[in-house]
Amino acid sequence: MKEQLLGTQTIYYDASTFGGNVNAKKEIHVSKVEILPEILGCITAIREGELDEKDNFFVVSLGYGTCEAVVRHVRELSTVRW
């Protein structure tokens, strides 16, 4: 999967949201790919992002047919996936 994402990619999108034409495309170069579970991304954003949370917290992530829940303690991680 990572190899398929590396290199030059063309992204097609609806630019009318941004005041442009309806159909637009943008070419980008992808030099590095990191794949991580959505719940890990949530934890990283809460701990290291704008919230900069230092205390314990609970997160539930609902996706297309998935549910992930995390009780994050300062010293340990408990993850439940359904």
Side-chain angles (χ1 to χ4, degrees):
M1 180 66 165
K2 286 184 179 184
E3 292 78 22
Q4 293 173 329
L5 298 173
L6 291 172
T8 301
Q9 302 292 331
T10 304
I11 299 173
Y12 297 91
Y13 62 96
D14 179 0
S16 64
T17 304
F18 309 106
N21 294 329
V22 174
N23 296 317
K25 69 178 182 177
K26 176 90 174 173
E27 286 197 3
I28 62 168
H29 181 75
V30 179
S31 59
K32 183 177 179 182
V33 175
E34 295 287 335
I35 299 175
L36 59 134
E38 182 179 345
I39 200 75
L40 183 57
C42 292
I43 292 168
T44 302
I46 291 169
R47 284 282 188 228
E48 300 174 15
E50 187 175 318
L51 292 175
D52 195 29
E53 185 59 58
K54 303 296 185 217
D55 293 327
N56 301 334
F57 59 85
F58 178 77
V59 176
V60 175
S61 174
L62 300 174
Y64 293 99
T66 64
C67 177
E68 297 178 309
V70 170
V71 176
R72 184 62 171 114
H73 300 279
V74 176
R75 293 191 176 180
E76 69 179 70
L77 173 65
S78 300
T79 304
V80 178
R81 294 181 185 200
W82 291 278

